[in-house]
Amino acid sequence: MQLQDYRREYIQGGLRRKGLNTNPIAQFETWLQQAIASGLSDPTAMTLATVDENGWPNQRIVLLKQVDEQGFVFFTNKQSIKGRAIANNPNVSLHFPWYPLERQVRVQGKATLLDEQEVARYFASRPKESQLAAWASEQSQVIPSRDHLLEKFTALQEQYVESDAPLPIFWGGYRVKPSCIEFWQGGEHRLHDRFQYTQSEVEHDWKIDRLAP
Ligand SMILES: Cc1cc2nc3c(=O)[nH]c(=O)nc-3n(C[C@H](O)[C@H](O)[C@H](O)COP(=O)(O)O)c2cc1C
């Protein structure tokens, strides 16, 4: 089959301005709950796009761990490729692809580091193996082999057999404070619905525009 023959209609229903919440975070929470309830896989997975010091964009998936008026939270290694990019340029973009619901959400905002207490709280809630894996992985560095990783992991398991793993200094979290959020709902004949919320000067006041599909 030719790639150009893959096509389908988007039929799940439209998005109308009168049905939108005036607050994009509340709107996002409604869509996230619907994505979870629909049973689609990895509803909290989001693509995180960053730009490095040479202006190159890069992207990868991370998991959303919290969302509220302050922004979208994820956890990672601060010395990874993404961590280094954000240290140089905090402007990032997030993308949620909820294909079975024929929806996507796109966010632009600034990422800031979470404070250590918040990170420590989340780190302590993770399974011990995940904590040790965070210690074992110099994320985004070149390593000689999988065995190298497993040896480090096994040594850590022995080291922390009777005690909790402490929070690594290189491990952390970011909160993306949104300045622009777009909700996309697929429509019949490619006449999709798009609504963009843009933060105005007054905090918590959002301008809503319909965009052409
Ligand atoms: C479903 C899924 C969830 C992921 N969640 C995370 C996450 O929450 N944090 C993280 O650091 N990496 C996560 N990863 C791995 C990242 O996509 C990426 O490989 C890693 O963070 C290194 O990225 P970087 O080299 O651009 O910094 C996830 C990958 C997938 C496919």
Side-chain angles (χ1 to χ4, degrees):
M1 192 179 189
Q2 297 292 316
L3 293 185
Q4 61 198 23
D5 296 331
Y6 278 97
R7 61 167 62 87
R8 65 165 169 134
E9 277 296 324
Y10 298 100
I11 50 164
Q12 298 224 358
L15 189 59
R16 299 291 174 264
R17 186 179 285 258
K18 61 178 187 309
L20 290 175
N21 199 301
T22 52
N23 180 316
I25 299 297
Q27 181 65 38
F28 178 83
E29 283 171 335
T30 300
W31 273 28
L32 178 62
Q33 286 314 320
Q34 290 170 352
I36 292 167
S38 77
L40 64 79
S41 67
D42 297 311
T44 60
M46 56 185 184
T47 302
L48 163 72
T50 53
V51 180
D52 74 13
E53 74 268 26
N54 298 313
W56 282 104
N58 207 342
Q59 27 181 345
R60 75 293 284 159
I61 291 173
V62 292
L63 295 177
L64 177 70
K65 291 295 173 182
Q66 194 192 322
V67 59
D68 57 29
E69 290 299 324
Q70 302 313 311
F72 297 76
V73 170
F74 64 92
F75 293 90
T76 192
N77 184 313
K78 293 183 278 184
Q79 295 168 2
S80 62
I81 291 173
K82 73 182 92 49
R84 283 179 273 143
I86 292 170
N88 182 65
N89 181 349
N91 294 337
V92 302
S93 176
L94 306 173
H95 180 251
F96 295 84
W98 291 321
Y99 308 114
L101 297 178
E102 302 173 357
R103 287 176 174 173
Q104 65 176 341
V105 177
R106 184 163 64 169
V107 178
Q108 284 181 315
K110 278 194 191 305
T112 50
L113 273 172
L114 300 180
D115 66 46
E116 199 182 311
Q117 279 160 314
E118 210 171 341
V119 177
R121 250 198 321 274
Y122 176 69
F123 189 77
S125 77
R126 303 182 85 203
K128 193 161 189 179
E129 288 70 25
S130 306
Q131 295 176 342
L132 297 179
W135 271 106
S137 169
E138 293 165 76
Q139 194 177 55
S140 314
Q141 299 295 323
V142 174
I143 52 171
S145 64
R146 182 167 179 84
D147 281 349
H148 168 86
L149 189 64
L150 293 180
E151 278 161 24
K152 279 181 83 173
F153 184 74
T154 309
L156 285 157
Q157 277 183 314
E158 284 161 14
Q159 186 178 347
Y160 293 108
V161 70
E162 274 167 12
S163 60
D164 290 338
L167 175 66
I169 49 160
F170 52 80
W171 204 81
Y174 296 86
R175 176 172 279 114
V176 178
K177 191 160 178 47
S179 50
C180 186
I181 308 186
E182 183 199 320
F183 295 84
W184 185 100
Q185 176 80 60
E188 240 183 317
H189 316 306
R190 302 292 188 264
L191 298 174
H192 316 301
D193 293 308
R194 301 175 61 187
F195 285 97
Q196 175 181 266
Y197 293 67
T198 320
Q199 178 105 70
S200 67
E201 300 293 298
V202 191
E203 185 134 348
H204 303 310
D205 199 4
W206 293 86
K207 184 159 96 61
I208 306 178
D209 294 302
R210 178 183 272 275
L211 304 182

